[in-house]
């Protein structure tokens, strides 16, 4: 303390140490957010296609994607059948690291018993 208090150190006399070199490493590009949304869309489609609408009785269908960390609920799930085509319309919430979003979608029966997402859009 006596050295500092007696004038042994002064900010005016301090010089920049030019021997220290700093740098940064290039950051790896973050995966596009759309890839997470696409993965979540597939997860939601799987939940919609496998839901037993009669057994649900209007209750929400929870969904979660362990790969993206997203989760949500599927509501307003209805099945429409015009004789030739069977479709399911729904509303889904998506809670993820980038926020909360609401989607409307429609999934229709494709050939060989599979389902295909016809519409999936953010509201």
């Amino acid at each position: 303390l006596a050295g500092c208090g007696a004038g042994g150190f002064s900010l005016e006399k301090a010089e920049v140490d030019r021997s220290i070199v700093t740098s940064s490493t290039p950051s790896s590009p973050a995966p596009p957010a759309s890839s997470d949304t696409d993965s979540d869309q597939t997860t939601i489609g799987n939940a919609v296609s496998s839901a037993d609408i009669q057994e649900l009785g209007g209750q929400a269908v929870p969904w979660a994607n362990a790969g993206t960390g997203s989760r949500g609920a599927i509501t307003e799930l209805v099945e429409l059948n015009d004789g030739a085509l069977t479709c399911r319309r729904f509303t889904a919430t998506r809670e993820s690291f980038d926020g909360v979003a609401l989607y409307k979608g429609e999934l229709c029966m494709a050939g060989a018993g599979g389902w295909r997402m016809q519409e999936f859009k953010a509201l």
Side-chain angles (χ1 to χ4, degrees):
L1 283 177
C4 290
F9 177 77
S10 170
L11 287 177
E12 288 88 26
K13 296 177 186 174
E15 294 183 24
V16 175
D17 184 357
R18 304 257 182 229
S19 66
I20 299 174
V21 179
T22 62
S23 65
S24 64
T25 59
S27 63
S28 60
S34 65
S35 67
D36 284 353
T37 305
D38 291 345
S39 177
D40 292 342
Q41 178 181 330
T42 300
T43 302
I44 292 168
N46 290 338
V48 168
S49 66
S50 62
D52 185 344
I53 295 176
Q54 280 74 30
E55 189 175 304
L56 287 172
Q59 294 180 4
V61 177
W63 68 271
N65 186 341
T68 64
S70 302
R71 64 181 181 162
I74 300 162
T75 57
E76 301 175 22
L77 180 57
V78 295
E79 187 168 284
L80 308 166
N81 192 340
D82 68 359
L85 189 62
T86 301
C87 294
R88 291 183 174 186
R89 288 190 186 146
F90 61 92
T91 303
T93 59
R94 177 180 178 257
E95 301 170 26
S96 64
F97 295 111
D98 56 357
V100 178
L102 183 65
Y103 293 87
K104 278 266 190 208
E106 183 174 80
L107 197 70
C108 293
M109 184 71 78
W115 291 85
R116 186 177 73 218
M117 190 72 73
Q118 295 293 104
E119 179 181 16
F120 191 77
K121 64 180 180 179
L123 298 179

